[in-house]
């Protein structure tokens, strides 16, 4: 459900993907690749497409380049599958952030940032406020905060794994629904593509 033509255009023209463009340029041996050349690289080098998708998820941009199926005017035989596809698409967009590797997630960065702040505070209380008599209590609280952070990180890691598996199942189901609807003549997938993003700054 990712529009490769759009991906190729964005890699060529949107600054967010400059590092990916550099990889494409290296692979092609040219500093000015065309959109069609980039499209070919996307088809022959899946890592480039994965890098694009990873970048999008990190910046809260969607890799799902399809609009919901308009239900007005759909025959009854198509409506139920179209409604299910639309519901799946909405859920997929909501949980897409969990497709990011947890080790690279903002959640982990926040946990480490909080722990760094706690460590700084511990040193502040002990040294600057001259609380050396209470330092073991303060270090004990710090150790508890590390344990709490570890527990929370493990909980979030399990959540990422669970939601990622849910995303994969729903994605496959949605692709099947889309293919069935197209085979039955209910929709034309080309009409659903979102050709450009208004989310890029």
């Amino acid at each position: 459900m990712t529009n490769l033509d759009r991906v190729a255009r964005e890699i060529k023209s949107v600054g967010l993907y400059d590092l990916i463009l550099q990889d494409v340029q290296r692979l092609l041996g040219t500093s000015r690749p065309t959109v069609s050349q980039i499209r070919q690289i996307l088809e022959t080098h899946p890592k480039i497409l994965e890098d694009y998708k990873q970048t999008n998820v990190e910046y809260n941009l969607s890799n799902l380049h399809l609009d919901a199926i308009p239900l007005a005017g759909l025959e009854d035989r198509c409506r139920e599958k179209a409604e299910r596809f639309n519901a799946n698409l909405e859920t997929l967009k909501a949980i897409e952030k969990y497709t990011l590797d947890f080790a690279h997630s903002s959640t982990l960065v926040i946990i480490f940032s909080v722990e760094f702040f706690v460590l700084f505070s511990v040193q502040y209380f002990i040294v600057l406020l001259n609380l050396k008599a209470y330092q073991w209590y303060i270090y004990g609280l710090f150790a508890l905060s590390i344990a709490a952070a570890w527990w929370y990180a493990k909980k979030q890691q399990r959540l990422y794994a669970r939601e990622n598996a849910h995303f994969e199942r729903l994605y496959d189901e949605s692709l099947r629904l889309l293919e069935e609807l197209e085979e039955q003549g209910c929709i034309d997938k080309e009409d659903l593509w979102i050709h450009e993003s208004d989310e890029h700054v």
Side-chain angles (χ1 to χ4, degrees):
M1 289 191 268
T2 302
N3 185 336
L4 292 184
D5 290 327
R6 171 179 161 176
V7 174
R9 284 194 309 274
E10 288 181 351
I11 288 174
K12 181 174 173 59
S13 59
V14 177
L16 179 62
Y17 310 107
D18 279 351
L19 290 175
I20 300 170
L21 178 60
Q22 289 172 13
D23 289 340
V24 170
Q25 290 168 334
R26 184 180 44 76
L27 288 166
L28 289 170
T30 177
S31 62
R32 294 180 184 265
T34 65
V35 171
S36 61
Q37 286 175 316
I38 297 171
R39 167 75 193 248
Q40 288 173 336
I41 289 292
L42 290 169
E43 291 171 350
T44 57
H45 294 79
K47 176 76 169 81
I48 299 293
L49 183 58
E50 283 307 309
D51 289 346
Y52 168 88
K53 288 181 176 183
Q54 184 91 357
T55 301
N56 276 352
V57 175
E58 287 172 1
Y59 284 90
N60 293 320
L61 300 170
S62 182
N63 291 310
L64 303 168
H65 300 159
L66 287 176
D67 264 331
I69 298 170
L71 300 176
L74 267 187
E75 298 177 25
D76 289 340
R77 67 185 176 86
C78 305
R79 184 175 293 274
E80 184 182 334
K81 285 182 182 176
E83 286 173 348
R84 196 163 67 212
F85 173 83
N86 288 349
N88 286 358
L89 186 62
E90 193 173 313
T91 303
L92 285 168
K93 287 183 178 180
I95 64 174
E96 189 174 12
K97 65 183 178 183
Y98 295 108
T99 61
L100 187 64
D101 181 12
F102 179 70
H104 299 105
S105 70
S106 60
T107 305
L108 199 57
V109 171
I110 290 169
I111 292 169
F112 280 127
S113 299
V114 168
E115 278 308 300
F116 180 77
F117 174 75
V118 170
L119 176 61
F120 177 78
S121 300
V122 164
Q123 292 303 320
Y124 175 80
F125 282 121
I126 292 171
V127 177
L128 295 179
L129 296 180
N130 199 20
L131 296 175
K132 290 186 180 179
Y134 301 100
Q135 69 182 354
W136 293 113
Y137 296 110
I138 296 170
Y139 282 132
L141 286 173
F142 177 60
L144 284 174
S145 76
I146 290 174
W150 179 84
W151 173 82
Y152 183 72
K154 285 297 183 187
K155 182 180 174 187
Q156 288 299 305
Q157 188 176 28
R158 286 191 299 273
L159 175 66
Y160 269 72
R162 187 172 60 248
E163 291 298 333
N164 189 12
H166 182 209
F167 181 92
E168 294 298 328
R169 284 193 305 273
L170 214 54
Y171 189 91
D172 291 342
E173 178 189 322
S174 301
L175 279 180
R176 279 195 306 274
L177 286 169
L178 201 59
E179 287 169 9
E180 289 170 12
L181 286 165
E182 201 164 25
E183 285 170 7
Q184 293 170 4
C186 301
I187 60 159
D188 183 356
K189 187 177 176 182
E190 290 301 315
D191 296 337
L192 300 177
W193 284 123
I194 302 171
H195 293 285
E196 59 185 34
S197 173
D198 57 359
E199 297 174 304
H200 293 297
V201 179

